[in-house]
Amino acid sequence: QLQLVESGGALVQPGGSLRLSCAVSGFTLDDYAIGWFRQAPGKGQEEVSCTRSARGSTYYADSVKGRFTISRDNAKNTVYLQMNSLKAEDTGIYYCAADKKCGVYPMDYWGQGTQVTVSS
């Protein structure tokens, strides 16, 4: 059974950093693209970043370029989202999802989400 579990969400002050983790099981991580999405209160879902493989290209939304970094550790079956210089508008529920390639919405498999709140 394919599963994704996010962790690392927290309350952080503006300008701070967080690292989200997406632990996957039931499939070989390198066979799938992993995307990070977020949903702010009262808004639709937004794709934040996506990685196809350890050697593949990555995608970042314009709103997070230069601040967020996606990475993957195939040995640990985990994908990370390092978030720096956080802003209030980064607040939301962050989800990781899996599919065979990036640019697909909705992706086939989703985690339950982790809350990120950026506030002073």
Side-chain angles (χ1 to χ4, degrees), residues 10 13 20 23 32-33 43-44 58-59 61 63-64 68 71 73 80 85 87 93-94 97 100 105 112-113 118:
Q13 292 187 342
L20 305 183
Y32 280 79
K43 295 187 177 181
T58 55
Y59 162 82
S63 57
V64 306
F68 290 12
S71 62
D73 186 334
Y80 303 99
S85 303
K87 305 175 182 179
I93 301 174
Y94 283 69
K100 283 298 187 177
Y105 187 81
Q112 83 289 348
V118 184

Side-chain angles (χ1 to χ4, degrees), residues 23-82:
V24 307
S25 60
F27 64 97
T28 301
L29 182 58
D30 208 35
D31 289 343
Y32 280 79
I34 303 294
W36 282 98
F37 297 78
R38 68 185 179 190
Q39 187 160 18
K43 295 187 177 181
Q45 233 171 30
E46 172 191 16
E47 185 177 21
V48 173
S49 183
C50 190
T51 173
R52 171 55 184 93
S53 70
R55 296 173 299 279
S57 60
T58 55
Y59 162 82
Y60 295 98
D62 288 343
S63 57
V64 306
K65 278 181 183 176
R67 301 189 298 122
F68 290 12
T69 303
I70 193 169
S71 62
R72 55 200 295 155
D73 186 334
N74 288 344
K76 294 184 178 180
N77 280 349
T78 302
V79 176
Y80 303 99
L81 186 68
Q82 178 67 43

